[in-house]
Amino acid sequence: MVIGVGLFGLNASLHGLMLICLTIAALSAWLLYREGFGPIRAAMNTGIAGALPAIYIFILIGVLIAAFIQAGTVGALIYYGLQMISPAVFLPTATILCVFMSIATGTSWGTVGTAGIVLIGIGEAIGIPLPIVAGAIVSGAAFGDKMSPVSDTTNLAAMSARVDLYGHIRSMTYTTIPTLILVLVVFALINTRYADNTLPPERLAALMQALQGLYHINLLCLLPFAVMIVLIALKVAAEPAMIAAAAMAALLAIFMQGADPVAVLNALYGGGSGETGIESLDNLLSRGGIVSMMWTLSLALMALALGGILSVFGFLQVLIGAIVRRVRSAFGLVTATIAGCLVGNMTMGEAYMSIILGGQLFGPAYDDCGVDRRVLSRSLEEGATLTTGLIPWTTGGAFFATTLGVSVVDYAPWALLNWMNPLVAILFSLLGIGLFRRHAAPDRAAALATSD
């Protein structure tokens, strides 16, 4: 209630509101147990301790994004991706381009704010209705925001559910890849209505010339991205995989792009400053760096500390007791998690809090039901990350609508991946597809055996 009223009624800072919630929880614990502040501090430390590996990854995300920008990796992805565009397959191609952009950068906002702006202009010139074009852009951008190892929400979900990052990503492939294939098929069918329209080459030429003016664009620019993908496929731990990709990118920036070594090092901390003359492109090429991750990391630390208090002192059990008692199957648990995150987005206006609190609230229930927490982390993203762009008053929905010039209400039906993926996840949980099991708690084993 504090967060909902503060965000929408008072337009207050989310960090300030989280601090108030943390203070209320600590005071409540002290009033109930009267054991001094030591146990409260220990509970906060417990909540944070389990997320330390993800905290390291958060810092490396900023480093990796900045290195990719300095090396021209992000610029090359845009450059080569735009060359794939054809009116006959514009919608599926636009979706795929945004998929690759968002996987490389880990941000749906940056993807929509750069490639999205270009694509919305091209789609308008071709004669495709803008809500459909916007839906394809948001679908592709949301895919990478959910699946990329350098996405803050991907790491938040893994951290909140207390699972390995790559295990979390592999779990999501069970529901997200089939959904993406279905989305591409639907967009390809829709695109047949506009296959004979013409494409204005001058719009693409301006962006590609701007990128060529800033970087030496060639296939070597994609090497850091390839290194990261290969290491992920080889199941190398996230930290060394990110460091290796960032190191490769830094070397390319210095020796191929001609960047000053000191400037590259500074960019790894504070982000870069791309100057192409195209504002939307400059905004993307000026992000990254350790500093860029501090907003999300500081919020996560406070939320984890809050979760530690709520868990250790039994508040969580009271909050979700009624829901958990009604859940008698893995299907019900997945459905409740996705629905709970959706409601969290609608009330708090942000996916971050829905993911963090959802993981803390539902985690013990997954353990009791004998369902692996990778299903929890997957459900957190399907309920929170994907739906934020479908709600007009969330920060994501407002940004997409403002940037693309299409209202959320208009593009939401065409943001196919965002609303189809949660439905596919619920259906798969009912059918037992991709539903990983672990040893169930004794008091729930009998119920699961009779209900699933």
Side-chain angles (χ1 to χ4, degrees), residues 64-315:
L64 188 63
I65 292 174
F68 275 18
I69 291 173
Q70 295 295 305
T73 303
V74 173
L77 285 169
I78 298 175
Y79 183 87
Y80 290 121
L82 290 176
Q83 291 181 337
M84 299 166 52
I85 291 179
S86 167
V89 289
F90 175 78
L91 291 173
T93 300
T95 304
I96 293 173
L97 175 60
C98 290
V99 163
F100 281 111
M101 274 293 301
S102 56
I103 288 177
T105 63
T107 168
S108 58
W109 287 36
T111 301
V112 170
T114 52
I117 292 177
V118 175
L119 292 168
I120 202 77
I122 296 172
E124 181 179 16
I126 292 174
I128 302 176
L130 292 188
I132 301 178
V133 179
I137 293 168
V138 172
S139 293
F143 180 93
D145 199 11
K146 179 188 179 189
M147 298 291 290
S148 173
V150 297
S151 166
D152 50 5
T153 56
T154 305
N155 283 271
L156 269 181
M159 176 178 65
S160 300
R162 306 291 173 88
V163 300
D164 173 70
L165 173 62
Y166 292 157
H168 166 53
I169 293 174
R170 286 193 296 270
S171 173
M172 290 192 293
T173 61
Y174 282 81
T175 59
T176 312
I177 298 300
T179 305
L180 177 62
I181 294 172
L182 180 60
V183 166
L184 292 176
V185 170
V186 173
F187 278 136
L189 292 174
I190 295 173
N191 209 138
T192 57
R193 306 176 188 174
Y194 313 100
D196 296 330
N197 295 12
T198 58
L199 175 66
E202 64 277 3
R203 300 201 178 207
L204 292 179
L207 182 61
M208 296 172 73
Q209 288 174 3
L211 290 169
Q212 287 178 316
L214 187 62
Y215 300 110
H216 298 291
I217 300 292
N218 55 62
L219 292 177
L220 285 178
C221 294
L222 303 179
L223 187 57
F225 185 62
V227 167
M228 186 178 70
I229 296 299
V230 170
L231 292 178
I232 290 173
L234 294 176
K235 301 182 179 179
V236 175
E239 293 92 331
M242 290 181 176
I243 291 173
M248 175 62 69
L251 291 174
L252 287 179
I254 295 170
F255 294 106
M256 188 175 73
Q257 302 297 350
D260 179 65
V262 175
V264 173
L265 288 175
N266 290 339
L268 299 183
Y269 173 74
S273 56
E275 297 181 1
T276 64
I278 300 177
E279 182 180 359
S280 60
L281 188 59
D282 291 347
N283 289 336
L284 177 63
L285 300 179
S286 299
R287 64 185 301 270
I290 294 173
V291 171
S292 69
M293 302 306 299
M294 290 300 104
W295 188 94
T296 304
L297 180 56
S298 58
L299 178 66
L301 288 173
M302 287 192 286
L304 288 166
L306 173 61
I309 294 176
L310 296 177
S311 178
V312 170
F313 289 96
F315 297 136

Side-chain angles (χ1 to χ4, degrees), residues 434-451:
L435 196 60
F436 313 117
R437 292 289 189 176
R438 60 186 298 276
H439 181 66
D443 58 341
R444 298 301 294 269
L448 286 168
T450 60
S451 60

